[in-house]
């Protein structure tokens, strides 16, 4: 078990990662440490009243952008054009909804108060970004994540109206395609993301893509 220094933002060698994908504990959520973590394929994932736990899982769930799957039913939803989509217009409300919304799909990480504050700070620095889905001028869905410039690391999403997290995800992928991003990091497997075309790849492959 490796505990991080409060002063040194570097992480231990990945030879120390456990089978569960845990690399280290402790440290803090200062912007410099978080950015360094994501650039090296590492992310925090822990619950309130626990120490910060840093993960780098194997395999890694990713979406290669040209592998996006849009079902016939979702194409029909998109065609109706009932929603207004924006980017980075209300990050704080998006992360607040991701934190508090009732979930029965297992999609979201547990967002502690400290994590919420840290990612809002990253948003103010232009690193954390959001997608918002609006209906009748009300926020009904969205997602947020970390933008590394050519890889987008998805963190959490929410829906208040059926399919709106998928709508946000699909619009994000289309935007990333136009801007020549390599992939969307989805971190760990879940059925919802698999249905949209995400797949598991070896950690080493993911890290090599990240570092090129």
């Amino acid at each position: 078990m490796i505990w991080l220094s409060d002063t040194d933002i570097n992480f231990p060698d990945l030879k120390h990662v456990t089978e569960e994908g845990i690399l280290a504990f402790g440290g803090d959520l200062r912007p410099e440490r978080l950015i360094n973590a994501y650039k090296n394929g590492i992310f925090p994932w822990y619950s309130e009243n626990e120490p910060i736990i840093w993960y780098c899982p194997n395999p890694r769930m990713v979406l290669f952008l040209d592998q996006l799957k849009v079902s016939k039913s979702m194409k029909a939803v998109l065609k109706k054009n009932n929603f207004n989509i924006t980017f980075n217009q209300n990050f704080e409300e998006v992360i607040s909804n991701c934190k508090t919304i009732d979930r029965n799909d297992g999609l979201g990480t547990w967002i502690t108060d400290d994590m919420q504050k840290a990612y809002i700070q990253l948003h103010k620095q232009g690193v954390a970004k959001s997608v918002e889905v609006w209906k009748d001028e009300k926020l009904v869905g969205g997602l947020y994540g970390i933008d590394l410039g050519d890889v987008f690391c998805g963190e959490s999403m929410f829906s208040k109206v059926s399919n709106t997290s998928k709508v946000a995800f699909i619009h994000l992928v289309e935007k990333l395609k136009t801007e020549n991003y390599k992939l969307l990091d989805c971190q760990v497997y879940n059925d919802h993301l698999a249905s949209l075309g995400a797949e598991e790849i070896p950690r080493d492959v993911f890290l090599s893509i990240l570092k090129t």
Side-chain angles (χ1 to χ4, degrees), residues 4-212:
L4 299 180
S5 162
D6 288 338
T7 55
D8 185 357
I9 66 167
N10 293 312
F11 289 88
D13 192 283
L14 285 178
K15 68 182 180 182
H16 298 291
V17 73
T18 69
E19 188 174 338
E20 296 78 21
I22 297 173
L23 177 62
F25 297 83
D28 56 26
L29 297 175
R30 74 182 74 174
E32 297 83 1
R33 191 191 300 273
L34 282 168
I35 293 168
N36 186 41
Y38 281 93
K39 285 182 176 180
N40 287 282
I42 302 161
F43 58 90
W45 192 10
Y46 66 104
S47 297
E48 202 75 63
N49 301 317
E50 288 184 349
I52 302 170
I53 307 173
W54 299 92
Y55 283 83
C56 189
N58 185 32
R60 189 77 169 220
M61 189 76 164
V62 304
L63 175 74
F64 292 103
L65 304 179
D66 59 358
Q67 298 299 311
L68 175 67
K69 294 179 182 177
V70 182
S71 67
K72 288 182 179 179
S73 60
M74 272 308 300
K75 287 178 180 177
V77 169
L78 295 168
K79 189 174 182 180
K80 289 179 181 177
N81 201 27
N82 288 335
F83 304 109
N84 183 35
I85 314 302
T86 59
F87 295 87
N88 304 309
Q89 294 302 301
N90 203 328
F91 182 92
E92 292 191 22
E93 192 172 349
V94 168
I95 193 170
S96 177
N97 276 281
C98 288
K99 177 182 177 182
T100 60
I101 199 162
D102 291 334
R103 296 186 181 278
N104 55 16
D105 54 17
L107 285 182
T109 61
W110 180 256
I111 302 167
T112 68
D113 290 344
D114 286 345
M115 286 183 76
Q116 184 176 11
K117 291 175 186 175
Y119 286 86
I120 289 172
Q121 184 62 36
L122 284 178
H123 173 67
K124 291 176 179 177
Q125 295 185 9
V127 178
K129 298 184 178 179
S130 60
V131 184
E132 302 89 17
V133 182
W134 308 84
K135 184 175 176 63
D136 301 326
E137 299 184 355
K138 294 182 179 179
L139 185 66
V140 294
L143 61 81
Y144 76 95
I146 300 297
D147 189 347
L148 296 179
D150 55 5
V151 170
F152 190 93
C153 306
E155 273 297 313
S156 189
M157 58 178 71
F158 78 96
S159 293
K160 290 185 174 179
V161 173
S162 180
N163 293 314
T164 50
S165 64
K166 288 184 179 179
V167 170
F169 188 87
I170 292 166
H171 276 85
L172 172 63
V173 172
E174 294 301 334
K175 185 175 188 294
L176 297 179
K177 279 184 183 179
T178 64
E179 296 177 1
N180 298 314
Y181 278 59
K182 297 174 184 175
L183 55 77
L184 198 162
D185 174 27
C186 303
Q187 298 181 344
V188 295
Y189 180 90
N190 70 61
D191 291 337
H192 178 77
L193 294 172
S195 73
L196 289 163
E199 61 184 279
E200 291 182 313
I201 63 172
R203 178 172 55 221
D204 289 349
V205 174
F206 170 73
L207 293 175
S208 67
I209 295 170
L210 196 60
K211 291 178 179 179
T212 57

